[in-house]
């Protein structure tokens, strides 16, 4: 190395380093200390707002520097990631798009409610930043108070490094392994070509009635613990209780119109004061493609189970859930993130919520009943959850209207709405519906028949069974 080059190195090296707010900021650094672990990638992420449908919160933790989260054009705004358990936080990397934060904080929280600032600056310059910090918490967020441009806040990547305080034992208690696992899958980025007539839907319906009600059991969250849960309304399988297993579901009956659907579906009971309100008749549970390449969707494995939403969710959690479609609606009122105070007489309360549709291929369940599943990012499954499976969408309707001030779920306010799925479909039946309707680009009823494309036929016969 020449003398001139050595002098230039000494002069240039310190330029990107500044000490701000008690944290060391190093511009342009892409990697953390070798001992640190990337904790945030693929974790559940929400934000105070999103700029549009193409800039979701999850895009900031997908490991893809070409996708981004973008906020509304106002102050303040925040982006929050759930690490899954308490962690010691040692550094945070922020890869800003042109729209950056001039003033922001890095905050941690044990519960998503009470926040502690572990870094702050009022002179942010955007670009790529690595902030070395000392903090702990399960939740980490960027809290922006002053934008650096007239636009919103925009992050290509938000990476949190550190170590989990009590990391779960891999494949230990609480893990249910798939047998066999699905390996060697790469997330599909294929875009199916246009069809004539156009393919606009990739779905079929499961129409299922209430099978058991007001039962304080949850065989996923509280297995073999009768009475440990808040009250649930069960649909589909007629035997679901605290001791439910895949074998018991497969040998049970069903309240679904399709005999092969012995899946257990359940949600918190809706109450009007102290009186339970049950959905009347069969409810619509959609099985759709959640990814752009609908031809890559494969059926659920037997025994796959998961929870969508959370009884402890805040209004912001529910509003920003990647699967929240329309929230609550009644009459002409829609996109409510809590149960409306009033509904026109004679209407029904409706709710829609979409489930994640990317599976890790290894686990039928995990200790938090969620980590083995993930939402697609911009229509593509993340690398650590590469297997595209049907995206379930609950479309529930409860016969309650008028004064809704006393209407709530057994789990709490409207935004505590969540549901559980324990797959027990007959394997050939689910495969036929998935292939014919989702992979085939059809809008199917429970028989697997698309009335707009009758020439394509049906997957099942008039008894909703395989022909």
């Amino acid at each position: 190395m020449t003398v001139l080059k050595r002098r230039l190195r000494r002069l240039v090296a310190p330029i990107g380093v500044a000490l701000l707010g008690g944290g060391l900021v190093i511009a342009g650094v892409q990697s953390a200390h070798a001992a640190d672990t990337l904790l945030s990638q693929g974790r559940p992420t929400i934000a105070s707002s999103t700029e549009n449908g193409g800039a979701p919160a999850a895009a900031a933790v997908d490991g893809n520097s070409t996708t981004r989260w973008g906020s509304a054009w106002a102050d303040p705004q925040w982006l929050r990631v759930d690490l899954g358990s308490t962690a010691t936080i040692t550094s945070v990397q922020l890869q800003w798009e042109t729209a950056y934060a001039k003033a922001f904080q890095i905050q941690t929280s044990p519960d998503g409610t009470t926040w502690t600032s572990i870094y702050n600056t009022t002179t942010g310059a955007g670009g790529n930043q690595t902030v070395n910090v000392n903090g702990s918490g399960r939740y980490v967020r960027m809290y922006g108070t002053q934008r650096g441009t007239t636009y919103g806040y925009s992050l290509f990547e938000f990476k949190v490094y550190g170590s989990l305080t009590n990391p779960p034992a891999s494949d230990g208690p609480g893990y249910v392994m798939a047998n066999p696992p699905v390996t060697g899958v790469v997330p599909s980025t294929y875009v199916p070509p246009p069809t004539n007539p156009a393919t606009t839907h990739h779905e079929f319906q499961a129409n299922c009635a209430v099978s058991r009600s007001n039962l304080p059991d949850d065989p996923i969250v509280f297995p073999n613990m009768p009475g440990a849960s808040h009250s649930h309304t069960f649909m589909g399988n007629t035997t679901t209780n605290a001791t439910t297993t895949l074998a018991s579901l497969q040998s049970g009956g069903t309240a679904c119109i399709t005999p092969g659907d012995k899946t257990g579906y359940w949600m918190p009971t809706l109450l009007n004061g102290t009186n339970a309100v049950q959905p009347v008749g069969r409810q619509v549970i959609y099985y759709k493609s959640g990814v752009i390449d609908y031809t890559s969707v494969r059926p659920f494995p037997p025994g796959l189970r998961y929870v969508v939403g959370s009884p402890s969710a805040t209004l912001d959690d529910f509003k920003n859930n990647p699967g929240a479609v329309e929230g609550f609606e009644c009459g002409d009122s829609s996109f409510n993130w809590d149960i409306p105070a009033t509904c026109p007489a004679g209407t029904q309360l409706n709710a829609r919520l979409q489930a994640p549709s990317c599976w890790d291929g290894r686990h039928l369940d995990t200790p938090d009943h969620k980590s083995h599943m993930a939402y697609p990012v911009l229509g593509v499954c993340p690398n650590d959850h590469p297997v595209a499976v049907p995206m379930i969408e609950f479309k529930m309707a409860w016969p309650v209207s008028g004064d809704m001030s006393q209407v709530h779920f057994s789990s709490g306010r409207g935004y505590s709405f969540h549901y559980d799925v324990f797959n027990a479909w007959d394997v050939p039946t689910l495969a036929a519906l998935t292939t014919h309707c989702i992979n085939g680009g059809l809008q199917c009823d429970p028989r697997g028949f698309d009335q707009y494309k009758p020439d394509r036929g049906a997957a099942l016969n008039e008894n909703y069974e395989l022909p």
Side-chain angles (χ1 to χ4, degrees), residues 107-132:
Q107 300 176 326
T108 62
S109 172
D111 54 12
T113 301
T114 303
W115 294 93
T116 300
S117 179
I118 58 174
Y119 168 79
N120 69 82
T121 183
T122 58
T123 57
N128 297 334
Q129 295 177 279
T130 293
V131 179
N132 291 329

Side-chain angles (χ1 to χ4, degrees), residues 11 47 54 64 83 102 137 177 199 224 290 301 317 323 343 368 446:
L11 288 172
N64 185 344
L83 303 180
K102 181 177 180 181
M177 306 304 294
T199 296
N224 301 308
D317 291 337
C343 286
D368 65 356

Side-chain angles (χ1 to χ4, degrees), residues 318 326-329 334-336 338-340 349-351 409 414 417:
F318 185 69
E326 296 177 1
F328 296 97
E329 58 184 27
S334 60
F335 294 99
N336 299 289
D338 198 354
I339 295 171
L349 177 69
N350 296 276
F409 288 107
F417 178 67

Side-chain angles (χ1 to χ4, degrees), residues 5 30 66 82 97 133 139 154 185 246 275 309 331 372 416 418 423 447 451 459:
K5 286 183 178 179
Q30 295 295 322
T66 65
D82 178 0
E97 197 238 4
V133 295
Y139 301 89
S154 185
V185 176
L246 173 60
N275 298 318
H372 55 311
S416 73
H418 57 285
N423 174 50
R447 277 191 62 214
Q451 64 177 334

